[in-house]
Amino acid sequence: MLNFISVHDVTDIDAIVKKALMYKANPFADKTLGTNKRIGLLFLNPSMRTRLSTQIAAQNLGMEPIVFNVDKDGWALEFEEEAIMSGNTVEHVKDAAPIMGKYFDVLCIRTFPSLKNKEDDYSELYIKQFIKYAGIPVVSLESATLHPLQSLTDIITIHEEISSRQSAILSPRTDDRRPKIVLTWAPHVKPLPQCVANSFAQWVNAWGKADFVITHPEDYELDEQFTKGATIIHNQNEALKDADFVYVKNWSTYNDYGKIYCNDPEWMLTNEKIKLTNNAKVMHCLPVRRNVELSDEVLDSANSIVTQQAGNRVWAAQAVLNEILKSAK
Ligand code: CP
């Protein structure tokens, strides 16, 4: 693996899921793989889970992580080619990234979208500029349109849950139907990127082992390049019927880019709605706005697997770094 910015960088999803679960069982199995290797974690936006889990994953492999909060401590970066830098930006990525390439062996970057210019955001200019100029492997810690480390984690968590249901002595699955996964839009107080939803759709579709339904209010369509293959239903109750997994996430409008049209609280997932499902496990990438996106009663119930899911971020990152380190040898 040369870079990790989308599902297209993975040749075998099942194999990388298996590797992640191997690390979950034995975190230090490859504790010398990254000896004398330095990994830079650049944040142009806030993070808790991604920041901590990627550092832990790197340390489990013997790497030395260095975190740099570009948004707070760095110079304002310019990404446009041939920009006349007479505004607020101080340093061009074509000057900064090659220096990162000298300091580090692997470079990880978080760059959120502006939500102002769809064309710019969906061209993934920022992360592509880092790939172009750094000269070392680049890992996305969430880019303008995708969050692949989160989505790999989500597949790992779903796989783990399905396996544990299948091996449960008291409640074995009595059928071999494909699991039903529902991605549902949820209300929020401000416009959020489409990254997590795009990325989850891209990975579930590529994984191909589930019946996949996306439900959202009209006008919240996502980019078809990610959702193609999923069934889109605008009636949330209908969509939730018999779901095994419900993934809750807000996103702003894609077509009329970055807007909030509907904020109907009826779209918040409650225990009443869980009754429509097949006692579904509830997922969210976190952070979550309690009693806006998801009710306390659901988040604090046995249906919620959000903590297990966030815990698995370490093993997803460790499996990806393993692939990158092996390719760099
Ligand atoms: N899910 C996720 O990426 O969390 P953070 O923003 O805290 O890293």
Side-chain angles (χ1 to χ4, degrees), residues 94-110:
K94 69 162 74 172
D95 299 314
I99 299 166
M100 307 284 180
K102 296 275 182 228
Y103 294 164
F104 301 117
D105 300 284
V106 179
L107 192 57
C108 306
I109 301 151
R110 169 166 282 202

Side-chain angles (χ1 to χ4, degrees), residues 7 13 22 46 79-80 85 106 118 197 223 240 247 261 279 308 312:
V7 75
I13 295 178
M22 181 278 287
F79 290 89
E80 295 292 341
M85 291 173 55
V106 179
K118 179 159 74 174
D223 186 345
L240 291 173
Y247 200 105
Y261 278 167
N279 197 22
Q308 172 189 344
N312 283 339

Side-chain angles (χ1 to χ4, degrees), residues 130-283:
F130 271 107
I131 290 172
K132 184 172 173 186
Y133 292 116
I136 56 172
V138 170
V139 173
S140 168
L141 300 176
E142 188 169 352
S143 65
T145 66
L146 295 170
H147 195 354
L149 280 175
Q150 179 66 54
S151 308
L152 172 56
T153 302
D154 300 336
I155 299 292
I156 291 165
T157 309
I158 289 168
H159 171 94
E160 202 173 34
E161 274 299 313
I162 293 170
S163 304
S164 79
R165 271 195 207 186
Q166 282 170 341
S167 61
I169 296 165
L170 293 177
S171 57
R173 284 176 72 99
T174 52
D175 56 80
D176 58 1
R177 70 179 173 83
R178 286 150 61 88
K180 179 177 173 181
I181 300 176
V182 177
L183 167 63
T184 180
W185 182 90
H188 203 281
V189 293
K190 60 180 212 174
L192 294 191
Q194 294 100 32
C195 313
V196 170
N198 284 343
S199 195
F200 185 69
Q202 186 188 50
W203 279 74
V204 173
N205 279 327
W207 189 47
K209 294 192 171 171
D211 292 336
F212 184 35
V213 173
I214 303 175
T215 183
H216 54 72
E218 288 185 26
D219 300 322
Y220 278 84
E221 278 75 22
L222 293 162
D223 186 345
E224 247 187 71
Q225 68 168 305
F226 305 118
T227 60
K228 206 166 175 212
T231 304
I232 316 282
I233 299 177
H234 292 132
N235 180 323
Q236 191 192 40
N237 286 349
E238 189 190 323
L240 291 173
K241 196 168 177 308
D242 298 330
D244 297 291
F245 296 90
V246 181
Y247 200 105
V248 180
K249 186 71 186 89
N250 169 269
W251 60 88
S252 58
T253 54
Y254 167 72
N255 288 325
D256 183 16
Y257 193 55
K259 304 277 188 314
I260 294 180
Y261 278 167
C262 158
N263 227 355
D264 184 354
E266 283 297 310
W267 277 81
M268 181 177 77
L269 196 69
T270 58
N271 271 351
E272 209 46 41
K273 292 187 184 187
I274 292 290
K275 286 182 192 157
L276 300 167
T277 70
N278 183 29
N279 197 22
K281 294 297 181 189
V282 176
M283 303 174 73

